[in-house]
Amino acid sequence: MKKPVIAIDGFSSTGKSSISKMIAKKLALIHLDTGALYRGVTWFALQNCLNGDGSINTDQLFSSFDQIELEFKNDDGELVLFLNHIDISKAIRTNEVSDNVSFIAKQKEVRDFLLESQRSLAEKGGIIMDGRDIGTVVLPNADYKFFLTASIDERTKRRYMELLSLGIEANEQKVKENLMIRDKIDSEREIAPLKQAEDAIVIDNTNIDKQETIERILSYIKDF
Ligand code: DC
C-alpha cells in the first residue's frame, strides 16, 4: 500500500512539529520539520555572515550556500539536525535564532536553496512535513493538507513552557512579541507566505490538547 504524503502548515507554536512527529511514529512515516532547516541557515548566518554592526550580511550568506550541509540523522527514532556534522538541534531554538529566522526565511535565495531538498525527500511518499508553505508551495499535490492555528495567548504559553523545558531563559512578554512579529513577517512576505492552502483542513487547537489534535488529524487519514 502506498504511504501518504501529509502537509502540516500553520502558525508558530501550534504544536505542528511535535504533533507531526507523533503522527509519523503512529503511521510509520518520515517526519521533516522544515522550520528547523530555516533555523539552521539562520544559525549559520549568525556564526559566519555578520556585518560590523551585528546585522546579517545576506550577500555573504547567499555566496556561502555551498558551505552549508544540512542533514537530519536518526537518533533512536528522533531526527537530529546537523550542520556540517555539528549537532545544532538545541542551538537553533535559542532566542537569537528565533529573532532572526523570519528575516532569513523571507529571502528568495534561501527559499530556493531549501526547496529542492524538501521536495526530493517527499518523492518516495511516506512523509509528513511541517512548515508554513508545504501545502501551498513545497508539496501542492500532498494527499492531505492541514492548517493549524491557535490564539496568540495560548501559543505564547506553549512556546514559553517549551523554552523553559529546554533550559533557555525566557520572558513571556518577549516570547509573545517574537511570535507576533514572526506571524506578521511570515504572512506578509512576498515569496511563499504563510497561508492556508485552499484545500487544507483547518484545525484550531486553542482549546484542545496535542492528543486530541492528533486524533482529529488521524480521523481524516484513510486508506493507507
Ligand atoms: O516552525 P518554526 O517556528 O521552527 O519556523 C521557524 C521560521 O521558519 C518561521 O518563522 C518561518 C520559517 N519557515 C518558513 O518560512 N517556511 C517553512 N516551511 C518553515 C518555516
Side-chain angles (χ1 to χ4, degrees):
M1 226 183 305
K2 186 183 165 282
K3 288 195 166 182
V5 170
I6 305 174
I8 309 255
D9 289 303
F11 289 97
S12 304
S13 296
T14 45
K16 291 187 303 294
S17 290
S18 51
I19 286 165
S20 301
K21 197 192 292 180
M22 286 154 147
I23 293 174
K25 223 174 213 171
K26 193 157 174 79
L27 301 181
L29 308 173
I30 292 170
H31 166 230
L32 184 70
D33 165 9
T34 62
L37 298 174
Y38 289 93
R39 287 173 178 272
V41 172
T42 304
W43 185 81
F44 177 92
L46 290 167
Q47 301 295 311
N48 302 290
C49 310
L50 291 184
N51 294 312
D53 64 359
S55 60
I56 293 174
N57 183 327
T58 47
D59 288 335
Q60 195 186 344
L61 172 65
F62 303 156
S63 60
S64 306
F65 285 153
D66 59 354
Q67 294 163 40
I68 301 180
E69 193 195 332
L70 284 164
E71 195 186 1
F72 283 100
K73 286 192 190 162
N74 198 332
D75 178 16
D76 207 13
E78 193 97 342
L79 285 184
V80 179
L81 185 62
F82 284 76
L83 184 130
N84 299 340
H85 312 291
I86 301 167
D87 177 353
I88 56 163
S89 46
K90 189 163 177 220
I92 58 170
R93 302 290 158 199
T94 57
N95 291 328
E96 201 190 6
V97 171
S98 295
D99 287 344
N100 287 282
V101 64
S102 287
F103 169 71
I104 292 299
K106 75 175 185 181
Q107 309 297 326
K108 181 181 185 317
E109 289 81 353
V110 172
R111 303 205 74 82
D112 289 346
F113 171 59
L114 294 175
L115 183 60
E116 277 320 307
S117 50
Q118 294 173 77
R119 281 197 180 142
S120 64
L121 279 162
E123 263 166 17
K124 287 191 189 136
I127 193 163
I128 180 163
M129 225 183 251
D130 75 270
R132 303 291 188 292
D133 62 338
I134 308 305
T136 50
V137 175
V138 180
L139 306 174
N141 298 319
D143 298 305
Y144 295 99
K145 299 179 185 178
F146 297 93
F147 190 87
L148 300 188
T149 181
S151 73
I152 182 69
D153 286 338
E154 181 60 30
R155 292 187 291 125
T156 300
K157 209 160 66 187
R158 291 176 193 168
R159 175 89 183 121
Y160 178 68
M161 299 307 289
E162 184 194 5
L163 287 171
L164 292 190
S165 74
L166 289 170
I168 296 170
E169 218 176 290
N171 164 304
E172 224 170 320
Q173 189 53 31
K174 282 222 169 81
V175 168
K176 184 171 181 173
E177 281 163 20
N178 171 267
L179 285 179
M180 286 168 69
I181 292 169
R182 280 208 285 147
D183 287 351
K184 186 169 160 57
I185 302 176
D186 294 344
S187 309
E188 292 179 358
R189 71 175 173 232
E190 243 168 79
I191 310 143
L194 163 65
K195 71 166 191 244
Q196 180 198 329
E198 272 177 22
D199 49 352
I201 295 158
V202 181
I203 297 179
D204 182 332
N205 66 14
T206 306
N207 297 309
I208 58 173
D209 63 10
K210 271 185 194 160
Q211 201 47 47
E212 185 155 358
T213 309
I214 291 168
E215 277 160 25
R216 285 208 194 162
I217 291 174
L218 289 173
S219 73
Y220 289 96
I221 299 177
K222 311 255 187 283
D223 302 330
F224 287 100

